[in-house]
Amino acid sequence: MALTLTTTSPDVSILHTPHSGPAQWWRNAVIYQVYPRSFADANGDGIGDIAGITQRLDHLRELGVDALWLSPFYKSPQADAGYDVADYRQIDPLFGTLDDFDAMAAKARELNLKVIVDLVPNHTSDDHEWFKEALSAGPGSPERDRYMFRDGKGKNGELPPNNWQSIFGGPAWTRVDQRWNASEDGIADQQWYLHMFDTRQPDLNWDNAEVREDFESILRFWLDRGVDGFRIDVAHGMVKAAGLPDWNGLTSMVEGTTAEGATQIKTDGTPNEDGGNGGGNSGPMFDQDGVHEIYRSWHKVMETYDGDRALVAEAWVEPLSRLAMYVREDEMQQAFNFSYLTTKWDAAALRTVINASIRENDNVGAPTTWVLSNHDVVRHASRMGLATGELNPNGIGKNDPQPDAALGLRRARAATLQMLALPGSAYLYQGEELGLPDHTTLDDQYRQDPAWERKGHTEAGRDGCRVPIPWEADSPAYGFSTTGQSWLPQPDTYKACAADVQKATANSTFSMYQRALKLRREHNLGLGSLGWVTEFEHTGEVLAFENNNIIVLTNIGGDAIELPQGTRVVLSSAPMHSALTVERDVCVWIVRD
Ligand code: GLC
Ligand code: CA
């Protein structure tokens, strides 16, 4: 197929013009997610820590990102890898001390990197002082009112208050006397408490004034320490529908909560006009209008600080017009674009989700964000190597169909180049710049994701994307830890991905990311425009758009494309066999000479 791009200006239909307001840093930032327990281990116990992050921070500067977001490092029994917080103002000894945090943040500032921390307001750990107080104070006490305790149904309260299921599997309610007993614990009443996730993650009651006050004070605690923003965990979950009505639809995070009566979650990755892939989040536990008042009050707290501090919503909400409500002018600054992450590798599907994302965010004056990997999903280098029909599995285990690693990486590199040229802010997950796949053959004995147990070993869960990072091909644990310890074993395939190998190899995934980030900055793509090259507007095989003076073309499934004379490829996701031929599963950035 030959591209008939004129060398002056292609025929484009303009979707997005640059934002004209103030240039806050988060509008175009590339933000790197650090998963502390798997980034770098400085004290050799096999678990990554804050001192390790500080030691390796130069890697982020070298890569060329603008900011880092750290998954939780707070005091926690680690029942959900730290997303079960026992004290929001303390660092878990596993990860270090507040001094370590300050040293890390100071180094980040020196390197001109913004720092975003994770806030988990939907639930606490059952080790949190409040929960312990709630248990011992008993039914009807103000201490219990901070959480979602209810009497059971049935003759003797033997049935849970409603039929909700936990995201990690099993019922979302636990009865107090099922876990504790009078003789040993001094607690044995028959109330039930709600936990949308693990039993060890009781949901907070956001109608309680003390809960609201305390979280504002937690925001201030970290803002005073100089953090530039917060990633808000389960931002769509804090407020539940009044009366906690039963829900017969399916409840899930990644795919969204599916409409009542649906028997199957739709995951084939074909978005509808709204950009939605998962069927919406219409259940009574998610995306209730009441959450927005919380974010309006947090916005006011953030505003009293200098430096454009930002809130980013982790909200698995569809349609995108609902998601955009979280980033209205007086609420948060960003929301993760999971509809984009869950869209299949298909030009028409991608065009639909990009259109909807930009349209809905432009409507409220917020930047669109883009993301392909994080600590909850199979890494895109593995996901994209799976046969169609297994688009977003909850983990890949050694007995599951295995991805085609080479195809996955080739597509992942193309997908990343495409993503980094889109206007808005982009999120990278640690290791993707090394072309890291998931550990897809991890032995089940090592699994730690609570979803693995709670779902009765039917889904591998998220450990595969959380395996420690390879830094040096020839060091123990590939340089992750001085002693060679690693809380999850690393597969042999990680050797070739090690940062030192990647940095020494021309055309490595690392050098592609580095070059993309440099060009993105030089051409100001994050604050740029977007127009579709109309020649391809209706094909399912080619996606082509223009942002500022760069044309970005991805051959998603068709024959090789011949670029016209007078154009030049400045970056390609795979080596090109001829200067103007774009093969299948390749993305190129083109300029006109
Ligand atoms: C978010 C986190 C996930 C965690 C869950 C419960 O989705 O990203 O890792 O398990 O919230 O806190
Ligand atoms: Ca450690």
Side-chain angles (χ1 to χ4, degrees), residues 37 40-50 52 93-95 480-481:
R37 54 168 47 232
D41 171 24
N43 71 351
D45 65 354
I47 297 179
D49 41 49
I50 294 178
L94 206 54
F95 300 119
F480 164 66
S481 156

Side-chain angles (χ1 to χ4, degrees), residues 163-431:
N163 69 353
W164 293 2
Q165 295 295 300
S166 146
I167 307 287
F168 292 161
W173 296 92
T174 294
R175 203 170 78 175
V176 173
D177 66 354
Q178 285 172 350
R179 276 196 67 194
W180 295 277
N181 67 56
S183 54
E184 273 173 45
D185 313 297
I187 305 157
D189 63 84
Q190 302 195 328
Q191 274 204 317
W192 300 72
Y193 68 91
L194 177 70
H195 51 87
M196 285 313 302
F197 295 89
D198 191 63
T199 321
R200 300 205 59 188
Q201 292 167 295
D203 278 49
L204 285 163
N205 171 18
W206 276 85
D207 285 334
N208 180 291
E210 243 184 299
V211 169
R212 295 205 179 212
E213 273 160 35
D214 198 49
F215 272 87
E216 292 194 10
S217 129
I218 293 165
L219 287 175
R220 287 201 188 86
F221 177 88
W222 290 101
L223 289 166
D224 290 339
R225 287 201 110 77
V227 306
D228 300 287
F230 299 90
R231 175 261 190 197
I232 308 302
D233 191 65
V234 199
H236 57 316
M238 282 124 84
V239 173
K240 279 82 180 171
L244 310 181
D246 275 354
W247 171 246
N248 296 315
L250 293 168
T251 311
S252 148
M253 272 298 260
V254 178
E255 300 88 353
T257 298
T258 303
E260 198 151 4
T263 51
Q264 219 191 341
I265 290 177
K266 179 172 165 282
T267 54
D268 79 348
T270 314
N272 54 36
E273 274 302 294
D274 294 320
N277 278 314
N281 261 293
S282 40
M285 66 291 285
F286 284 139
D287 194 30
Q288 301 297 306
D289 288 335
V291 289
H292 295 289
E293 197 192 309
I294 302 172
Y295 301 130
R296 277 183 214 114
S297 73
W298 289 7
H299 184 103
K300 290 196 185 113
V301 174
M302 304 289 287
E303 241 175 9
T304 62
Y305 289 80
D306 59 355
D308 297 326
R309 318 251 181 147
L311 297 168
V312 50
E314 187 226 13
W316 295 84
V317 168
E318 287 181 343
L320 287 169
S321 52
R322 286 291 300 183
L323 183 64
M325 293 172 75
Y326 290 75
V327 289
R328 286 178 291 189
E329 228 171 40
D330 57 348
E331 297 195 30
M332 301 207 226
Q333 281 66 30
Q334 295 188 339
F336 292 130
N337 189 346
F338 294 125
S339 303
Y340 182 69
L341 185 151
T342 51
T343 292
K344 69 175 172 187
W345 189 234
D346 172 274
L350 285 163
R351 200 178 293 113
T352 302
V353 75
I354 292 169
N355 280 336
S357 306
I358 290 182
R359 183 184 66 229
E360 298 306 336
N361 284 291
D362 279 356
N363 270 344
V364 292
T368 307
T369 67
W370 311 103
V371 62
L372 291 166
S373 281
N374 66 33
H375 67 293
D376 289 330
V377 300
V378 173
R379 287 176 175 279
H380 63 297
S382 295
R383 207 170 66 221
M384 298 184 80
L386 288 171
T388 4
E390 298 156 61
L391 203 67
N392 294 302
N394 288 317
I396 301 174
K398 62 177 179 190
N399 298 323
D400 294 328
Q402 293 292 304
D404 174 337
L407 177 68
L409 181 58
R410 182 177 171 88
R411 287 185 171 166
R413 287 174 55 139
T416 296
L417 265 203
Q418 184 179 278
M419 172 179 91
L420 289 176
L422 288 165
S425 169
Y427 280 82
L428 305 179
Y429 176 47
Q430 67 178 37

Side-chain angles (χ1 to χ4, degrees), residues 35 69 71 80 83-84 118 120 122-123 168 197 201 231 233-234 253 314 316 374-376 449-450 462 466:
Y35 192 66
W69 144 41
S71 282
D80 182 22
Y83 281 96
D84 49 320
D118 216 311
V120 188
N122 179 67
H123 45 266
F168 292 161
F197 295 89
Q201 292 167 295
R231 175 261 190 197
D233 191 65
V234 199
M253 272 298 260
E314 187 226 13
W316 295 84
N374 66 33
H375 67 293
D376 289 330
D449 182 353
R462 303 164 294 175
R466 298 175 175 181

